Amino acid sequence: MKILYLEDDITLSETVEEFLSDEGFDVTSVYDGDEALEAIYEQNFDIFILDVNVPGINGFELLKNLRETNIQTPAIFTTSLSSIDDLSQGFNVGADDYVKKPFLLKELLFRTKALLKREFKSQDSLVSISENIVFNTQANELLIDKKRVPLHPKELLLLKLLLKHKNECVTFENIYQTVWTFNESHSDMSLRTYIKNLRKHLTKEKILSIKKVGYKLV
């Protein structure tokens, strides 16, 4: 799972990045709001952890701008601001959680994992795809008959996207924006290859083609 971490206190940033990396997360640390915005448009992240009072665009404005452009990646604010007005503003601009500084590293870890689980609309870490096929949201693994199935990184991103929108059509545009980074080129052929490979594991009936629109996981 990839985390964007916005924090202008370098010592705190390094401490949190090291801790979360040791827990298996891929952490990209940035130190001002403008740098965060640039990173978000160049890469795909599973969660944002944002300080509020940072150089450049502040955390509240950053998330407000992202939500207005329909970027719905879950977000946690970490801040020393504690008034009810600050709390209200944070949730009003689209935050999913709020952690007051100073915080325990394990508290941040628990909240991060809980938020990622919620994204899959499941109270359990295992999302059922069929009777013998599940996706483990914590380990980021596809399991068939309880055995791990190796996937190409983009196949994994594509499967996660389809799972988040089960029984909904995911458009080609959404897929290209999520699975490929800003500076990568994509093609219909490469997407069809990844879909074909996923169908080998899930069966063709599980992933439907919606002509000229996208794909649907049922």
Side-chain angles (χ1 to χ4, degrees):
M1 291 291 190
K2 296 184 67 175
I3 296 175
L4 175 85
Y5 181 40
L6 169 61
E7 172 58 64
D8 64 329
D9 182 326
I10 295 177
T11 300
L12 177 59
S13 176
E14 290 177 348
T15 300
V16 172
E17 179 180 351
E18 181 179 1
F19 175 76
L20 291 176
S21 296
D22 287 344
E23 292 294 329
F25 292 96
D26 180 359
V27 183
T28 297
S29 294
V30 291
Y31 307 101
D32 65 63
D34 298 321
E35 188 182 1
L37 193 62
E38 183 177 348
I40 289 166
Y41 283 116
E42 289 182 351
Q43 302 180 56
N44 299 304
F45 294 97
D46 296 290
I47 193 167
F48 303 141
I49 300 177
L50 309 172
D51 186 16
V52 176
N53 290 327
V54 293
I57 182 173
N58 69 44
F60 287 154
E61 287 299 316
L62 171 65
L63 188 60
K64 182 174 182 288
N65 290 346
L66 294 174
R67 295 297 189 244
E68 287 175 350
T69 55
N70 203 33
I71 294 177
Q72 300 301 324
T73 303
I76 300 174
F77 280 127
T78 61
T79 178
S80 56
L81 299 175
S82 58
S83 73
I84 192 65
D85 289 338
D86 294 323
L87 189 65
S88 174
Q89 184 177 359
F91 284 112
N92 284 339
V93 298
D96 298 274
D97 205 348
Y98 206 102
V99 180
K100 186 180 181 302
K101 292 180 178 178
F103 53 82
L104 296 174
L105 293 174
K106 283 193 174 181
E107 178 188 1
L108 182 62
L109 175 65
F110 295 152
R111 290 178 180 271
T112 299
K113 286 185 174 181
L115 192 51
L116 289 169
K117 278 187 186 181
R118 195 191 314 164
E119 271 298 282
F120 281 91
K121 301 176 182 177
S122 172
Q123 295 180 345
D124 188 50
S125 61
L126 298 179
V127 179
S128 177
I129 298 174
S130 67
E131 187 175 342
N132 66 322
I133 304 175
V134 297
F135 185 79
N136 188 318
T137 63
Q138 288 190 334
N140 228 23
E141 293 178 341
L142 179 66
L143 303 171
I144 298 180
D145 294 323
K146 298 183 180 180
K147 295 180 181 178
R148 179 180 178 274
V149 177
L151 295 176
H152 183 281
K154 283 193 167 32
E155 292 169 6
L156 182 60
L157 286 171
L158 178 56
L159 177 58
K160 286 166 56 180
L161 179 61
L162 293 171
L163 278 169
K164 287 181 182 180
H165 300 277
K166 273 199 298 187
N167 297 314
E168 301 174 12
C169 178
V170 182
T171 65
F172 294 126
E173 181 181 6
N174 191 353
I175 292 171
Y176 289 138
Q177 288 179 349
T178 303
V179 177
W180 279 263
T181 59
F182 179 78
N183 58 349
E184 287 182 321
S185 58
H186 56 75
S187 69
D188 294 341
M189 183 176 294
S190 58
L191 175 57
R192 284 196 295 270
T193 298
Y194 296 137
I195 289 289
K196 179 181 178 182
N197 291 340
L198 286 177
R199 281 173 168 166
K200 288 179 182 177
H201 303 303
L202 308 184
T203 74
K204 186 175 181 180
E205 291 72 24
K206 278 289 175 185
I207 302 178
L208 304 182
S209 298
I210 310 301
K211 191 173 181 180
K212 296 183 179 180
V213 180
Y215 293 96
K216 179 193 294 187
L217 179 69
V218 297

